[in-house]
Amino acid sequence: MALRWFFWRPIWLGCLLLTLIACDEPGSRSPRVDTGGVEPLSLETRDQLLSFVSELEAEGERSANGAERSASFARAAHLLEQSYLRDGKTVDAVRAEDLWKRASAAAPGSCETALRGLRLSAFLSGSSEQISLGLEGSRPTLTEPECRARLDRSRAFLRGGSEPRAQGPTDSAEQKGEAPRGVVAAQPDALEVDATAEITGVETLSAQDSARVVVKVTRPTRFELGVLDEDSAGGPRLYVDVHGALYQGQRVFEETGLVSRVRLGHRAGGTRLVLDLRRAAYHRVFYLPHPFRLIIDLSVTAPERLTIPREIRRVVLDPGHGGHDPGAVGPSGLREKDVTLDIAHRAAPLLAREVGVSTLLTRDVDVYVPLDERAARANAFNADLFISIHMNSSPDGAARGVMTFVLDSSRHESEAQVAARENASTAAAAAELANSLSGIESSSLRAASQLFAELLQRAAGASLRQLYPDVEDHGVQRAGFYVLAGATMPAVLFEGSFISNPVESRRLSSEAYRQRLADALVNAVRAYKEGRH
Ligand SMILES: [Zn+2]
């Protein structure tokens, strides 16, 4: 099992930290740690932020007044935490931890600084259990009853005992005696049980409130799902029988997050995969056809989370490709992976500053992230929108223009061809995915994706035509994109321009044009948030 902790851990822990910080009532913060009206994410670049943090730190060191000194250190620590959540750089979290300690030392008895510092220290230690234990150990040092109550609330939240968004299946299962709900997509066409299939790997991406388990099988197999609810001995768990597929390898994997353990065992000519869960969860099971992978998505919140007016607090930008996968390459050598990352880097701070949404990038640097991990990251982030950023390519060098895709069955072969290229699959596999998911995707989610795609097309046209009136608008299209499969929020794939077209490739080399594409993303999110249609 290749756990990609290197990239994955900071992401879900970041979400957890964010949740913990947001766990307290907004009004309960001590004025001494007020950030002074400074919106941390308005500091556009990392350099700006770090320089401001250093100023605050120096200010704290100069001050003879304990409360002022504490306030300066606390503001600096807060900004560094925000920076850590944005950039995922551990060095920021470690420095924030030190600053919280100094803030506490300068103003003993300040509940806010003490709690924030304790939470961060505990958080840096790793799993939610360790965080909870760390907080428990700190209880005696907090003397105010109100402060202790806040500590206890944080711990209860970590245990899942007082989850603020308690819409999960645990409640309904207890109240109605029902098993947790879930959906399973259509089975692949593998009617003959194929005894030669083999499970070659199982990957688990387990966050606090959601998880994705990917089972790699050498060829299409049929599968069967079973669920045991929370009251069963051994706690809530879910199992999948993969028919006709054998597995040789490690049989038990301990995990952190929603999935506590993954077990594999031989069963009736196939393999049973058991997922032990820390809490009952909604599930959704589907497959990606080529190469064949079973995807098991789990979430403690109900899949339907769309609200009107639209609450857009978190947006995931997914810069296409990366690392060993350059994506499409233009006639002059321009690589799609570099353009998509640059556009995401341009859009993210603007989204924070101008639209007031938190942004997560599925990759922040030039690394390869598998397609089946990207939507899982968006799910773990509880994102309200998922935007996969790509540049188009065609053997026809004259092809040009902008199009936005939603996940659906293609109407034209040309649409499926784009998905095939982005999936690194065949057009038939793209069509198969779209068909197999058609039974489990909710219509309201589809409608929301379609609406956002239309807004994005409109925003891109308006933004690019200010520079180049000849930009072609190809509208919203549909195809079976692997990267969008399983996203629990409205999700689109944006093909910003044709990198294969000499003219558009030259434009994509310019900062001004890339900025226009980034502006288009920002304007579309704003329009969507404001309820335009
Ligand atoms: Zn691409």
Side-chain angles (χ1 to χ4, degrees):
M1 182 178 297
L3 276 177
R4 266 177 272 270
W5 279 115
F6 180 69
F7 302 117
W8 183 249
R9 247 169 87 94
I11 305 290
W12 84 257
L13 286 175
C15 297
L16 178 60
L17 177 62
L18 195 69
T19 317
L20 277 173
I21 291 169
C23 193
D24 289 320
E25 302 85 342
S28 68
R29 299 238 167 108
S30 155
R32 280 175 293 177
V33 293
D34 182 9
T35 54
V38 177
E39 267 303 315
L41 293 175
S42 70
L43 295 166
E44 192 169 327
T45 67
R46 182 171 169 74
D47 284 348
Q48 281 176 324
L49 187 138
L50 291 181
S51 136
F52 187 58
V53 163
S54 295
E55 275 176 38
L56 286 169
E57 192 177 357
E59 192 180 288
E61 280 161 1
R62 278 196 305 271
S63 174
N65 177 305
E68 284 174 14
R69 193 176 166 82
S70 175
S72 295
F73 289 147
R75 284 175 65 193
H78 176 78
L79 287 171
L80 283 166
E81 277 188 6
Q82 295 293 309
S83 173
Y84 175 63
L85 291 176
R86 187 178 65 175
D87 300 339
K89 293 186 189 301
T90 310
V91 63
D92 292 344
V94 171
R95 194 173 165 200
E97 186 185 19
D98 177 58
L99 280 162
W100 281 124
K101 283 180 186 157
R102 292 165 72 186
S104 266
S110 160
C111 183
E112 179 71 31
T113 48
L115 269 183
R116 293 280 302 265
L118 287 170
R119 282 178 197 157
L120 181 60
S121 299
F123 153 76
L124 288 172
S125 71
S127 72
S128 57
E129 286 79 4
Q130 284 170 304
I131 297 173
S132 186
L133 283 173
L135 291 177
E136 188 179 5
S138 312
R139 204 167 184 275
T141 65
L142 302 171
T143 49
E144 294 171 32
E146 203 271 336
C147 197
R148 284 190 169 188
R150 287 173 60 191
L151 180 83
D152 290 341
R153 278 203 297 278
S154 287
R155 288 186 55 227
F157 171 70
L158 282 167
R159 288 195 308 269
S162 66
E163 156 70 287
R165 294 170 287 120
Q167 303 292 318
T170 312
D171 299 333
S172 63
E174 280 171 1
Q175 286 159 14
K176 302 175 197 165
E178 292 172 355
R181 285 157 284 168
V183 286
V184 180
Q187 298 270 338
D189 288 329
L191 296 173
E192 298 293 321
V193 172
D194 187 344
T196 64
E198 192 187 337
I199 292 175
T200 55
V202 179
E203 292 183 0
T204 304
L205 306 166
S206 185
Q208 179 76 1
D209 291 341
S210 75
R212 169 169 285 190
V213 179
V214 181
V215 184
K216 297 179 175 178
V217 191
T218 50
R219 60 185 61 199
T221 52
R222 296 181 72 79
F223 49 91
E224 209 169 309
L225 187 83
V227 177
L228 292 168
D229 67 26
E230 204 154 20
D231 297 332
S232 63
R237 58 193 184 273
L238 178 146
Y239 60 86
V240 180
D241 287 334
V242 188
H243 296 307
L246 302 178
Y247 173 74
Q248 290 178 318
Q250 189 178 335
R251 297 199 167 268
V252 180
F253 300 91
E254 301 293 338
E255 307 288 351
T256 56
L258 179 58
V259 175
S260 62
R261 193 181 299 118
V262 177
R263 295 177 279 146
L264 292 106
H266 183 72
R267 186 172 177 93
T271 299
R272 172 167 286 190
L273 179 93
V274 182
L275 309 178
D276 293 314
L277 309 178
R278 289 201 164 79
R279 303 171 58 187
Y282 293 91
H283 61 266
R284 196 147 76 135
V285 184
F286 59 96
Y287 69 94
L288 298 179
H290 179 240
F292 189 81
R293 279 156 286 173
L294 272 182
I295 310 280
I296 304 155
D297 277 347
L298 298 156
S299 172
V300 298
T301 47
E304 202 63 58
R305 290 190 290 112
L306 297 178
T307 54
I308 294 177
R310 298 172 203 122
E311 273 187 67
I312 305 297
R313 287 166 302 185
R314 299 172 178 209
V315 173
V316 166
L317 298 179
D318 171 45
H321 313 279
H324 65 74
D325 171 16
V329 179
S332 61
L334 185 66
R335 299 178 300 188
E336 184 185 357
K337 68 170 183 177
D338 298 325
V339 176
T340 58
L341 183 60
D342 184 53
I343 290 168
H345 278 155
R346 289 169 187 275
L350 291 176
L351 281 169
R353 192 175 64 203
E354 295 183 6
V355 192
V357 296
S358 303
T359 310
L360 177 82
L361 270 56
T362 54
R363 67 178 180 96
D364 196 30
V365 290
D366 183 18
V367 293
Y368 176 73
V369 179
L371 294 178
D372 56 37
E373 272 193 36
R374 297 180 185 232
R377 290 185 179 192
N379 292 348
F381 189 57
N382 282 322
D384 303 302
L385 266 177
F386 177 74
I387 308 170
S388 192
I389 306 168
H390 290 259
M391 295 302 132
N392 220 330
S393 177
S394 167
D396 172 10
R400 59 194 290 173
V402 185
M403 60 187 81
T404 303
F405 281 89
V406 294
L407 176 58
D408 204 340
S409 301
S410 300
R411 294 157 298 188
H412 308 290
E413 175 64 17
S414 60
E415 293 174 319
Q417 288 296 346
V418 177
R421 183 173 51 73
E422 299 291 10
N423 293 344
S425 73
T426 60
E432 186 179 346
L433 171 70
N435 290 337
S436 75
L437 287 179
S438 62
I440 66 169
E441 292 277 334
S442 86
S443 55
S444 59
L445 200 59
R446 277 173 191 246
S449 298
Q450 174 75 25
L451 170 62
F452 180 71
E454 286 168 8
L455 291 170
L456 181 51
Q457 275 300 115
R458 215 177 302 157
S463 176
L464 295 176
R465 287 204 180 104
Q466 289 174 6
L467 280 182
Y468 300 105
D470 62 347
V471 167
E472 291 181 13
D473 177 355
H474 294 292
V476 177
Q477 306 205 8
R478 315 158 166 186
F481 287 94
Y482 289 4
V483 70
L484 302 180
T488 54
M489 69 294 303
V492 303
L493 186 139
F494 181 57
E495 295 279 5
S497 291
F498 276 79
I499 203 168
S500 53
N501 178 289
V503 174
E504 292 203 336
S505 185
R506 199 162 50 243
R507 290 175 184 173
L508 283 170
S509 303
S510 80
E511 293 207 358
Y513 193 78
R514 293 179 188 189
Q515 189 60 49
R516 291 286 168 171
L517 286 169
D519 291 344
L521 296 173
V522 174
N523 291 337
V525 173
R526 183 191 290 113
Y528 185 79
K529 186 182 177 191
E530 289 173 356
R532 282 185 251 160
H533 53 265

